[in-house]
Amino acid sequence: MNRIITIVGPTAVGKTHLAIEIVSKYNGEIISADSRQIYKYLNIGTAKPDAEERKKAVFHLIDFLEPDQHYSCGQFARDAENLIEEIIAGGRLPIICGGTGLYIRALFNPLHYLPESDKRIKERLEEMLKQKGVEYLYQKLWEVDPEWARVIKPRDKQRILRGLEVYEIAGKPLTTMIKNGKPKPKYQPYYIGLYLDRAELYKRINDRFDSMVKSGLVDEVVSILKMGYTPDCNGLRTIGYKEIVAFIQGKLTLPEAINKAKQHTRNFAKRQITWFKRIPEIKWFKTDEKDIVENIQQIISSF
């Protein structure tokens, strides 16, 4: 089974820079595992690779969805698998790079195969929920999938809706599909984790957001709203964007929005660190250590 170089770590730690260094030396391509960089128009606030960086490396799975579209970790896993296959077939080195732990877990520890959400069915069920209440839908779930109804809470709207939606799409209960088992992973990761001392990482986060604001983040958000996207669309619920939206709506002053965005980003980085530290296979490198690229080159050359 092919082992895939997978660069992980918290936001602002320098993952993209390292990935570019590696692919330039190994004829590689980067598959982004970032759940925010997938959206078009969200460029400044997601720290998306700029034009200069895109000249140095081929990037996949960035900048391809509208801000109001949904993209699941299951979809990412399938898309990433196909890309890895194509890149390897072309004699190039695929590198996964990103901080969205759920995406990476879905790729290397596949989820149960369940059908993708159907917008029309979901909207109809949500309307039924508004009209008749959660108790009515829970009773409907007992009729089509009593096992699922038994294990979830009677007022768990999300899981009730998903159970009914899966049954309507697939014609069989969600529990039956889960019992069919998980697909086996096609690839194994070779994890490279990047870290910095907490104070240095937080300084980077703060400085980067100041730079984003200076580079026109507010204008970028205004432009996205003028395109007709609503403030609560998937893309604009991103940290950094939602705070600027609140400023535009008059709910926060600009300094308040900036401070909140920095705080929320630091909190997010802390959660990412906790997530990745639970993966024992990760080989950790300090971003600013002198010979980091050379050391990683030796690792890659070994397999």
Side-chain angles (χ1 to χ4, degrees):
M1 186 183 293
N2 282 321
R3 301 187 76 184
I4 308 300
I5 296 292
T6 303
I7 300 173
V8 300
T11 187
V13 79
K15 299 183 293 295
T16 299
H17 177 76
L18 177 63
I20 290 172
E21 290 257 13
I22 294 172
V23 298
S24 65
K25 296 177 186 297
Y26 284 92
N27 192 31
E29 299 182 16
I30 298 168
I31 300 171
S32 171
D34 186 305
S35 64
R36 303 292 94 186
Q37 292 184 358
I38 60 177
Y39 292 115
K40 297 177 183 178
Y41 319 124
L42 279 71
N43 300 320
I44 298 170
T46 62
K48 200 177 288 178
D50 61 26
E52 201 59 38
E53 289 172 319
R54 295 195 206 193
K55 289 178 185 175
K56 297 176 182 177
V58 176
F59 287 86
H60 299 279
L61 299 185
I62 63 171
D63 217 19
F64 68 102
L65 283 185
E66 300 296 324
D68 57 356
Q69 287 183 291
H70 175 74
Y71 190 68
S72 70
C73 51
Q75 285 173 292
F76 168 82
R78 289 189 288 276
D79 289 343
E81 280 184 354
N82 291 335
L83 284 164
I84 290 170
E85 201 171 297
E86 290 172 13
I87 293 167
I88 291 174
R92 295 169 70 81
L93 176 74
I95 291 182
I96 305 293
C97 176
T100 301
L102 284 172
Y103 278 14
I104 293 166
R105 185 173 70 181
L107 174 59
F108 297 119
N109 298 278
L111 306 167
H112 295 98
Y113 177 73
L114 296 175
E116 291 298 327
S117 182
D118 184 297
K119 186 177 180 181
R120 286 177 297 177
I121 292 174
K122 189 172 183 178
E123 286 176 351
R124 181 167 51 77
L125 289 170
E126 286 174 345
E127 184 60 32
M128 196 181 298
L129 174 65
K130 289 179 185 175
Q131 297 292 330
K132 300 191 176 183
V134 67
E135 295 84 1
Y136 176 82
L137 288 187
Y138 185 59
Q139 185 56 46
K140 296 284 287 183
L141 183 64
W142 267 102
E143 295 170 11
V144 299
D145 192 352
E147 284 190 68
W148 185 240
R150 192 175 293 115
V151 299
I152 67 172
K153 294 179 180 179
R155 301 196 67 80
D156 190 336
K157 297 175 185 178
Q158 185 175 348
R159 288 183 172 84
I160 292 169
L161 287 168
R162 184 58 174 152
L164 291 170
E165 182 189 26
V166 167
Y167 184 81
E168 289 206 27
I169 295 169
K172 59 180 78 170
L174 184 151
T175 44
T176 299
M177 301 186 77
I178 290 175
K179 285 176 184 176
N180 289 335
K182 296 182 180 182
K184 293 182 179 178
K186 292 183 179 180
Y187 305 101
Q188 287 184 338
Y190 190 100
Y191 284 117
I192 293 171
L194 296 184
Y195 75 95
L196 281 168
D197 294 333
R198 191 68 59 93
E200 175 60 23
L201 178 64
Y202 285 0
K203 183 178 184 303
R204 277 197 183 197
I205 287 170
N206 294 340
D207 290 347
R208 186 176 71 169
F209 197 78
D210 285 335
S211 177
M212 288 174 175
V213 173
K214 288 177 184 175
S215 297
L217 179 58
V218 175
D219 289 338
E220 182 172 273
V221 177
V222 169
S223 174
I224 293 168
L225 291 170
K226 283 182 177 178
M227 291 178 194
Y229 296 105
T230 60
D232 63 347
C233 71
N234 287 333
L236 291 180
R237 290 206 298 267
T238 300
I239 293 171
Y241 284 88
K242 60 185 179 182
E243 293 83 2
I244 297 300
V245 166
F247 159 64
I248 292 168
Q249 293 175 328
K251 297 176 182 177
L252 296 173
T253 66
L254 185 56
E256 288 171 340
I258 290 171
N259 287 334
K260 280 184 178 292
K262 289 177 180 178
Q263 179 64 59
H264 293 158
T265 307
R266 295 193 300 268
N267 293 343
F268 174 59
K270 188 175 180 181
R271 292 194 298 273
Q272 288 177 300
I273 292 166
T274 300
W275 175 286
F276 289 119
K277 280 191 173 179
R278 291 175 182 154
I279 303 175
E281 299 87 357
I282 294 178
K283 187 172 180 62
W284 290 98
F285 295 85
K286 194 173 183 183
T287 303
D288 54 7
E289 69 181 63
K290 185 179 177 183
D291 300 322
I292 181 171
V293 175
E294 289 75 13
N295 291 337
I296 291 170
Q297 279 184 267
Q298 290 178 8
I299 290 170
I300 296 171
S301 299
S302 70
F303 67 92

